[in-house]
């Protein structure tokens, strides 16, 4: 009897991903891809009634990019320069130049480049966009995903954040530990 797979698991060929990563581990030109979501990772949401919300309301300015999250991102990228950033966020629909400018205004080091984005033409679950990208760019020895969404089929690669907290110290430590397996 054939095992039934749920959700989109049948679309994600985990063995093929593992095979690509293993083949590239000894290749000095291989990279590590970081799939970056903005909302819930870099941008954190303000709850009505909190001091942060009231301050933004008084200024009539809602800047969702959290400077501390952006600084953690900067330190992470400086510590792991072999990482190539792929924008998987829905912000990708505005284009990479816009995303680059947005994050630089939020404090991202301008030497850090957002190099790619996942597909912005077809409507598929984010997990499928990520794996499609990986199969189209098989030069990776590993990958990591920063997102606040559940990704049950890619949870081994996911650094899942809380949309009200974003990229905090705990998630940063978790990501740093996980990235070590690709170095």
């Amino acid at each position: 009897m054939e095992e039934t797979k749920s959700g989109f698991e049948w679309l994600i060929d985990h063995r093929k991903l593992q095979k690509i990563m293993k083949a590239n581990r000894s290749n000095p030109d291989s990279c590590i891809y970081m799939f970056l979501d903005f909302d819930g990772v870099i941008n954190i949401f303000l709850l009505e009634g909190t001091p942060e919300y009231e301050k933004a309301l008084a200024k009539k300015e809602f800047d969702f990019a959290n400077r501390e999250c952006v600084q953690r991102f900067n330190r992470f990228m400086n510590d792991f320069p072999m990482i190539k950033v792929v924008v998987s966020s829905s912000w990708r629909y505005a284009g990479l130049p816009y995303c680059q400018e947005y994050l630089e205004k939020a404090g991202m080091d301008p030497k850090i480049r957002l190099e790619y984005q996942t597909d912005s033409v077809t409507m598929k679950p984010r997990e499928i966009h990520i794996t499609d990208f990986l199969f189209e760019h098989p030069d990776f020895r590993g990958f990591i995903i920063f997102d606040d969404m559940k990704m049950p089929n890619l949870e081994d690669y996911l650094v899942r954040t809380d949309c009200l907290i974003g990229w905090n110290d705990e998630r940063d430590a978790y990501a740093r530990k996980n990235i070590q397996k690709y170095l």
Side-chain angles (χ1 to χ4, degrees):
M1 186 180 283
E2 192 174 311
E3 184 180 327
T4 305
K5 295 185 179 182
S6 62
F8 294 95
E9 184 178 350
W10 62 274
L11 289 172
I12 298 172
D13 189 340
H14 291 279
R15 280 177 274 173
K16 187 175 178 183
L17 287 173
Q18 293 292 326
K19 186 177 178 181
I20 292 169
M21 288 188 287
K22 185 177 180 182
N24 286 329
R25 288 231 171 93
S26 60
N27 179 353
D29 295 327
S30 66
C31 67
I32 299 169
Y33 286 118
M34 173 198 289
F35 293 90
L36 182 65
D37 182 28
F38 287 16
D39 296 334
V41 178
I42 298 294
N43 299 335
I44 60 172
F45 301 102
L46 303 176
L47 288 177
E48 189 173 347
T50 63
E52 295 84 4
Y53 179 88
E54 296 301 325
K55 183 179 175 184
L57 191 61
K59 288 180 12 183
K60 294 182 172 71
E61 182 179 305
F62 282 86
D63 180 12
F64 296 106
N66 180 279
R67 302 297 188 248
E68 291 176 23
C69 296
V70 174
Q71 291 308 309
R72 279 187 198 88
F73 170 71
N74 284 340
R75 288 189 298 272
F76 193 85
M77 292 303 295
N78 286 328
D79 290 345
F80 302 103
M82 77 296 295
I83 291 177
K84 292 184 179 183
V85 180
V86 181
V87 177
S88 55
S89 172
S90 58
W91 285 61
R92 72 187 184 277
Y93 293 108
L96 279 180
Y98 178 84
C99 292
Q100 182 80 33
E101 181 180 328
Y102 173 79
L103 288 181
E104 285 181 15
K105 283 181 182 176
M108 181 179 78
D109 183 339
K111 290 180 272 183
I112 297 171
R113 305 308 306 162
L114 305 179
E115 299 191 41
Y116 302 100
Q117 67 184 45
T118 56
D119 177 25
S120 61
V121 177
T122 62
M123 296 301 293
K124 296 178 187 175
R126 192 167 291 173
E127 286 179 297
I128 302 302
H129 280 287
I130 289 170
T131 54
D132 284 352
F133 178 91
L134 291 167
F135 292 136
E136 291 167 11
H137 300 84
D139 61 342
F140 62 97
R141 66 175 176 253
F143 67 98
I144 192 166
I145 305 164
F146 277 88
D147 209 306
D148 63 328
M149 291 175 50
K150 288 182 181 179
M151 293 193 192
N153 299 306
L154 293 174
E155 66 185 26
D156 291 344
Y157 311 98
L158 178 63
V159 178
R160 187 161 178 229
T161 58
D162 180 315
C163 67
L164 299 175
I165 299 170
W167 189 331
N168 65 3
D169 287 336
E170 185 264 333
R171 297 286 74 203
D172 189 69
Y174 178 78
R176 288 172 181 278
K177 179 181 174 194
N178 281 350
I179 208 81
Q180 293 301 316
K181 62 187 167 193
Y182 306 128
L183 302 178

